[in-house]
Amino acid sequence: MTSLVLAVLLGLLAGVVAGLFGVGGGILFVPTLVALHRGQLHAEATSLAAILPTVAAGTWRQARDGDVRFRAALLLGLDSIAGVGRGVQLATALPEVWLRRLFAVLVFAVAANIAWRNRRD
């Protein structure tokens, strides 16, 4: 029961973060699922599946306000589809410990980029 309550709270929090910052909940989902003793690969796959309803709801809300550039979104989406297959191949070929390390590097790189860009403001 605790896992179910945590999953509901995590989903709500990820939805708020996605709506507020325009990012997926993966930055929350993956570490939390790993902390709940799920494997890194399963956490990443679950996070990818959870993105779909978030994307649909977020796009609908933003499109109502005229904030979506559909041509750019289509190009990004098609390129992402082309790349995701290769990413899955790499993820399944790498040891679990390397997936966790690479995810940590990604999170730190994003944080450093945000900090760097905002140091001038």
Side-chain angles (χ1 to χ4, degrees):
M1 185 63 160
T2 304
S3 292
L4 179 61
V5 171
L6 186 57
V8 169
L9 292 174
L10 180 61
L12 288 171
L13 179 62
V16 170
V17 169
L20 182 63
F21 298 115
V23 298
I27 202 135
L28 300 172
F29 289 147
V30 173
T32 302
L33 290 170
V34 170
L36 292 172
H37 307 293
R38 307 308 193 266
Q40 182 74 22
L41 190 60
H42 290 115
E44 290 173 8
T46 302
S47 176
L48 286 172
I51 288 171
L52 295 174
T54 304
V55 166
T59 301
W60 174 71
R61 291 294 306 256
Q62 291 288 355
R64 284 187 354 186
D65 295 332
D67 294 330
V68 179
R69 293 182 180 170
F70 284 101
R71 182 177 174 168
L74 180 63
L75 291 172
L76 286 169
L78 291 174
D79 287 344
S80 295
I81 290 169
V84 75
R86 185 65 180 135
V88 169
Q89 286 177 328
L90 287 169
T92 55
L94 290 172
E96 190 101 355
V97 67
W98 279 102
L99 282 178
R100 282 193 301 272
R101 289 175 182 164
L102 288 171
F103 185 80
V105 168
L106 173 67
V107 171
F108 281 117
V110 169
N113 180 275
I114 291 169
W116 179 259
R117 286 184 295 143
N118 286 302
R119 70 175 173 71
R120 293 173 254 160
D121 291 342

